[in-house]
Amino acid sequence: MIAVIKKGTSQARIDHLITWLKNQNLDVHISHGHQVTILGLVGDTSRVDMELLGSLEIVDTVKRV
């Protein structure tokens, strides 16, 4: 699963989301770009509610891969 974080999101808010995702027993791979940050979620993502994750203010899009 991939979560694209909105441009301009503070690192503190990203860190908070990463902590929450890791508490869901997921590994999180972080790619920082000039425009956005992408979180690659590895593990059993079937338990992750895509609608909930996508509804977060800091999340632009979520996709299963």
Side-chain angles (χ1 to χ4, degrees):
M1 182 179 289
I2 295 172
V4 179
I5 306 302
K6 291 180 182 175
K7 180 181 177 180
T9 301
S10 72
Q11 188 61 49
R13 294 187 77 189
I14 295 171
D15 291 343
H16 183 74
L17 177 57
I18 291 169
T19 299
W20 180 78
L21 292 166
K22 287 182 176 182
N23 286 335
Q24 306 299 313
N25 295 318
L26 298 171
D27 290 326
V28 180
H29 297 266
I30 306 160
S31 296
H32 293 285
H34 292 286
Q35 299 296 319
V36 294
T37 297
I38 298 172
L39 304 181
L41 311 178
V42 179
D44 183 7
T45 60
S46 66
R47 301 180 328 162
V48 177
D49 184 340
M50 285 182 61
E51 288 184 30
L52 172 66
L53 185 57
S55 72
L56 298 176
E57 183 181 320
I58 68 169
V59 175
D60 187 36
T61 58
V62 178
K63 294 186 179 195
R64 288 200 191 274
V65 292

